[in-house]
Amino acid sequence: MKREKMTFNVPPAVRTEIKNYVKLLGFKSESDLCNKAINEYLTKLHYEANSDNINKILVQAVDCTIEHHVDRVSDMLFKLAVSIEKQNLIASGEYDDYYEEYIEQVAIENVMKRHGRL
């Protein structure tokens, strides 16, 4: 594989560290160490860019799923609140003589007054 020459400046302390790591890690040259370091860093950048895209796609998928279920969940919570209110009204004994439809209407009004449309 043909390589292109690239020139860049580094501070003396970095150059000293490069020389030390070439000896310590057994690289053939400073260029080999720099190539490996640059390749590893480029891999890291590539991974981060891809993981950001994956995260965005995942968040969009979850948002889309939640958005489609919000109305349904809201309706279910409202019905549950009305059902609990109905049970409380019946248990209190105050509405013994009334039809269930009337009690349900009172329960709906109570829940809406107390919580609004959930």
Side-chain angles (χ1 to χ4, degrees), residues 3 18 22 27-37:
R3 294 185 180 206
I18 291 172
V22 166
F27 281 95
K28 295 177 187 174
S29 65
E30 292 174 11
S31 289
D32 284 341
L33 177 103
C34 290
N35 280 328
K36 182 168 174 70

Side-chain angles (χ1 to χ4, degrees), residues 1-116:
M1 175 194 302
K2 184 179 176 189
R3 294 185 180 206
E4 292 186 29
K5 188 170 188 150
M6 190 171 145
T7 305
F8 58 95
N9 299 319
V10 295
V14 172
R15 180 71 188 265
T16 302
E17 281 192 68
I18 291 172
K19 287 181 179 186
N20 290 338
Y21 277 115
V22 166
K23 291 177 187 173
L24 182 69
L25 299 174
F27 281 95
K28 295 177 187 174
S29 65
E30 292 174 11
S31 289
D32 284 341
L33 177 103
C34 290
N35 280 328
K36 182 168 174 70
I38 290 170
N39 282 330
E40 285 188 21
Y41 188 69
L42 290 174
T43 300
K44 176 186 178 289
L45 292 176
H46 181 73
Y47 172 77
E48 286 174 358
N50 285 339
S51 67
D52 283 348
N53 289 335
I54 290 170
N55 289 340
K56 288 176 188 172
I57 290 169
L58 182 61
V59 167
Q60 287 173 350
V62 169
D63 285 346
C64 183
T65 302
I66 290 171
E67 183 178 314
H68 284 85
H69 293 288
V70 166
D71 289 338
R72 185 165 183 251
V73 170
S74 178
D75 286 344
M76 289 170 56
L77 287 173
F78 183 76
K79 288 177 183 177
L80 176 64
V82 168
S83 176
I84 291 170
E85 180 66 18
K86 223 165 75 170
Q87 290 172 8
N88 290 339
L89 291 172
I90 292 169
S92 73
E94 189 176 342
Y95 292 92
D96 282 346
D97 297 335
Y98 295 93
Y99 291 106
E100 188 177 341
E101 293 85 21
Y102 178 78
I103 296 172
E104 184 164 349
Q105 188 57 40
V106 171
I108 289 171
E109 289 170 7
N110 288 349
V111 168
M112 289 184 80
K113 281 179 200 171
R114 219 176 287 124
H115 305 289

